Amino acid sequence: MTAVPIDGKTLALRVREEISEDVAAYGDPVCLATILVGDDPASHVYVGSKHKASHEAGIDSRDHRLPADAPQSEVLDLIAALNADDGVDGILVQLPLPGHMDEPTVLRAVDPAKDVDGFHPLNAGLLYLDQPALTPATPSGVMVMLDEYGVELHGKEAVVIGRSEIVGKPMAMMLLARHATVTICHSRTQDLAQHTRRADVLVAAVGRRALVTPDMVKPGATVIDVAMVRTDEGLFGDVDPGVWEVAGLMTPVPGGVGPMTIAMLLRNTLTAAQRRRTAVATSGS
Ligand code: NAP
């Protein structure tokens, strides 16, 4: 058996076309502001792709860049100015921040209504309460992929490897909200394979090449590989290529989860604009 690939690239293009149509139908300008501190090359690539994708969807963008030694107060001042700016709908702080900054403090400074990454505690709390507002883009993209490929979640065993605030925890919450029985594994999990072998849906979000081997996967399972491990030989995920022979559906790396993440960021930016303007209109009436 060879797993059917989940084509995130094609799906993301379609989602992005839908967003462009929705932005055009919305009529008012929509604007995403990004903040990049320092000169991490990967972060520069990510921010560049986010601006390109925004423009292609008809979303305006503002690109704020600060030197690696900028004081945290400068970032907080910039966030405060963007929070107050009615022309800005979404604010994205590119991670990681330099070591002298406290990421939670910076992320908490973003107005939750403009928090298109969904990292603010208010948005994380709403997801926990099953009242999602703005949710993290990567797990949101995974949910769209699962739905697109008709993957049953109700009552199924879902195992998430990784418990970060960006991927693992929100992923687990989203699967739980869809009535999967969810297990979260992490670096202290004993006998990882014993958990993963039960999974009807297995999401790997660790960042360790070939962590998930064929013997760890239930035949026919849906395997979502979130990881991006950059090496001199190219980009790899957490899942060993041998798993293609065991799984039923599987995301490739590259071309799986990655493209969907940007698409969902654009969706969040439009959602933030729509919700904020509705709220302003309601409070003004
Ligand atoms: P992270 O913050 O480093 O979290 C990694 C998680 O993996 C942690 O919870 C860690 O456990 C767990 N872990 C580490 N070693 C393990 C092991 N041997 N067995 C089981 N669990 C283990 O990373 P992240 O930000 O969630 O990202 C995870 C991966 O996804 C990375 O490769 C990242 O590049 C990729 N990513 C991709 C996208 C995309 O768009 N495709 C977006 C975001 C992230 P502890 O909590 O115990 O330390």
Side-chain angles (χ1 to χ4, degrees):
M1 183 174 83
T2 301
V4 172
I6 297 181
D7 183 355
K9 205 170 165 184
T10 303
L11 179 57
L13 281 175
R14 206 184 76 212
V15 171
R16 283 166 61 171
E17 271 165 28
E18 287 166 9
I19 296 167
S20 314
E21 288 163 18
D22 292 349
V23 169
Y26 179 62
D28 286 340
V30 178
C31 177
L32 171 69
T34 63
I35 301 174
L36 174 56
V37 189
D39 32 45
D40 176 55
S43 294
H44 276 260
V45 173
Y46 295 148
V47 167
S49 331
K50 288 166 187 174
H51 283 275
K52 184 166 174 282
S54 297
H55 292 149
E56 284 167 9
I59 294 175
D60 301 330
S61 65
R62 296 195 202 164
D63 189 357
H64 297 275
R65 300 195 181 208
L66 299 175
D69 59 357
Q72 178 167 300
S73 58
E74 201 176 326
V75 179
L76 294 176
D77 288 347
L78 175 57
I79 293 174
L82 295 171
N83 283 344
D85 188 335
D86 198 40
V88 172
D89 298 293
I91 302 170
L92 180 148
V93 181
Q94 184 65 42
L95 301 179
L97 289 168
H100 66 282
M101 293 194 189
D102 182 50
E103 281 185 1
T105 301
V106 172
L107 296 178
R108 275 161 212 205
V110 175
D111 178 348
K114 298 187 179 188
D115 170 38
V116 285
D117 262 335
F119 295 161
H120 190 282
L122 183 79
N123 285 319
L126 287 170
L127 176 61
Y128 171 87
L129 295 173
D130 206 2
Q131 299 169 3
L134 294 168
T135 53
T138 301
S140 300
V142 171
M143 295 308 288
V144 172
M145 290 197 288
L146 294 174
D147 286 341
E148 176 70 18
Y149 282 77
V151 176
E152 180 78 60
L153 295 172
H154 199 117
K156 298 292 178 186
E157 292 278 344
V159 175
V160 179
I161 321 177
R163 58 173 166 180
S164 71
E165 267 97 58
I166 296 172
V167 190
K169 281 182 193 164
M171 184 79 257
M173 285 298 141
M174 289 177 196
L175 292 164
L176 185 63
R178 296 285 296 277
H179 309 296
T181 301
V182 182
T183 303
I184 307 174
C185 301
H186 45 79
S187 67
R188 315 309 201 274
T189 298
Q190 293 183 12
D191 198 354
L192 183 62
Q194 178 211 317
H195 297 283
T196 59
R197 267 191 225 113
R198 284 199 330 268
D200 299 302
V201 176
L202 176 62
V203 181
V206 175
R208 259 186 68 175
R209 186 177 170 185
L211 173 75
V212 178
T213 47
D215 58 303
M216 294 168 69
V217 176
K218 179 175 173 177
T222 297
V223 178
I224 306 290
D225 193 350
V226 177
M228 294 194 299
V229 183
R230 288 179 198 284
T231 73
D232 293 341
E233 299 157 53
L235 187 65
F236 295 91
D238 284 338
V239 180
D240 185 282
V243 173
W244 283 102
E245 302 308 318
V246 182
L249 279 168
M250 186 158 137
T251 55
V253 177
V257 176
M260 286 303 293
T261 296
I262 290 201
M264 300 318 289
L265 168 71
L266 302 178
R267 174 58 74 197
N268 272 353
T269 306
L270 177 59
T271 301
Q274 290 166 326
R275 290 205 179 144
R276 205 166 52 87
R277 289 203 195 151
T278 308
V280 169
T282 312
S283 67
S285 62

